Amino acid sequence: MKCAVLGDPIDHSLSPTLHQAAYAELEMSDWSYTSTRVQAGGLAKYVADLGGDWPPSRWRGLSVTMPLKREAYELARSMSPRARLVGAVNTLVRSSHGWVGDNTDLPGAVAAIRERAGEGFSCTSGAILGAGATAASTGLALAELGASRITLLARNPGAAGETIEMISRHPSKPVVSVLPLDSAVDGVDAVVSTVPAKAQTPDLIDRWASTPVVFDVVYDPWPSPLLSVAPGVAVSGLDLLVHQAVLQFELFTGRPAPLAAMRAAGEKALASRESSMEPSPA
């Protein structure tokens, strides 16, 4: 059986490393997982070229990353409630009635935070740095964890309307507001950074590093500037990637995922990247 991650760019993806580690751990030699660059607008043709026969002789599942998550949402014949809530699909599973859409970003974020902060962690007020698609899914995760107030800190607050609307759909009806990125917010239990490492200025780091729970979705470079100085609970992009990949693996294969083996493979791959970037001795 074949699976793959699709997106553009895609060369940086750790997903093949994680899934292949799971196959090796469980001795699933008849499964493979690769990466393929698919540009915006090209998902429907790519999936059509895989064929539509059932039972599938080869293809079982697709992980979908940017910029294809909205296209996957439109392509799915049916989808999970959480995919409808997020308004985006990052997982396509082959079934007898076509491709089923799901979203593992939302439950993956919840699982990543609970693993580091404890199963009993409850968030009353959360902040998110950024206002794009990742901000929407992590904002919904904060709502799942109990946040009744969520503040988006955006470089362009006027463009945050869609993200505000998506987070506000959560059944708990959190109050969602938006402020400029350089704003301060008091009484925040957890902050999620969805901005790139280069946007993590000294002022931004000083403002948010002491938050009780700091979650940075960035995993490369590692550690991010923000997490490198956070004194409290730190949740990394690798934590998120591993937990959402665990859920995808289980959707694709129907088997429990070996989380420890997948995490170890991800950590090893990141360490290898970091060492390859170090300057050679003179």
Side-chain angles (χ1 to χ4, degrees):
M1 302 297 288
K2 294 189 67 173
C3 300
V5 59
L6 314 177
D8 183 27
I10 201 64
D11 290 343
H12 70 288
S13 177
L14 281 179
S15 291
T17 297
L18 302 183
H19 285 261
Q20 288 166 4
Y23 300 153
E25 179 71 12
L26 299 181
E27 299 181 345
M28 298 169 63
S29 60
D30 54 340
W31 285 76
S32 66
Y33 189 107
T34 56
S35 63
T36 300
R37 182 188 178 207
V38 177
Q39 295 177 299
L43 182 62
K45 182 180 185 306
Y46 180 88
V47 171
D49 288 345
L50 299 181
D53 295 338
W54 184 263
S57 57
R58 298 176 66 195
W59 287 98
R60 176 58 179 167
L62 300 171
S63 305
V64 182
T65 187
M66 298 303 292
L68 305 174
K69 294 182 181 181
R70 304 288 178 163
E71 292 180 41
Y73 186 89
E74 298 298 328
L75 184 68
R77 290 288 302 274
S78 61
M79 67 185 66
S80 68
R82 63 193 178 199
R84 292 190 184 279
L85 179 63
V86 178
V89 161
N90 78 330
T91 308
L92 288 168
V93 183
R94 193 83 170 271
S95 77
S96 60
H97 61 277
W99 292 92
V100 178
D102 207 335
N103 187 294
T104 64
D105 288 332
L106 169 54
V110 171
I113 294 172
R114 282 183 171 154
E115 179 186 32
R116 298 300 181 188
E119 285 295 324
F121 173 73
S122 179
C123 178
T124 300
S125 176
I128 302 174
L129 311 182
T134 304
S137 59
T138 53
L140 287 164
L142 292 180
E144 287 281 304
L145 291 165
S148 59
R149 291 175 284 115
I150 298 172
T151 306
L152 303 177
L153 290 302
R155 282 173 284 193
N156 181 8
E162 186 175 2
T163 299
I164 293 173
E165 180 183 352
M166 286 185 180
I167 299 173
S168 299
R169 291 180 194 165
H170 191 272
S172 66
K173 303 300 180 185
V175 176
V176 185
S177 57
V178 60
L179 294 171
L181 184 60
D182 59 0
S183 302
V185 182
D186 294 330
V188 171
D189 304 311
V191 60
V192 181
S193 175
T194 70
V195 300
K198 64 182 179 182
Q200 297 178 7
T201 63
D203 285 346
L204 181 146
I205 293 169
D206 289 343
R207 193 176 302 119
W208 295 107
S210 60
T211 307
V213 175
V214 180
F215 180 7
D216 194 335
V217 302
V218 171
Y219 65 82
D220 190 6
W222 171 255
S224 68
L226 179 59
L227 283 190
S228 66
V229 299
V233 175
V235 187
S236 74
L238 182 60
D239 293 330
L240 170 61
L241 186 66
V242 168
H243 278 286
Q244 69 85 23
V246 160
L247 293 168
Q248 286 187 334
F249 175 90
E250 293 174 350
L251 288 169
F252 294 159
T253 68
R255 298 183 61 175
L259 185 150
M262 296 170 77
R263 186 194 301 281
E267 290 173 345
K268 182 178 179 180
L270 281 183
S272 176
R273 289 185 187 183
E274 290 298 319
S275 63
S276 68
M277 294 175 65
E278 293 177 357
S280 300

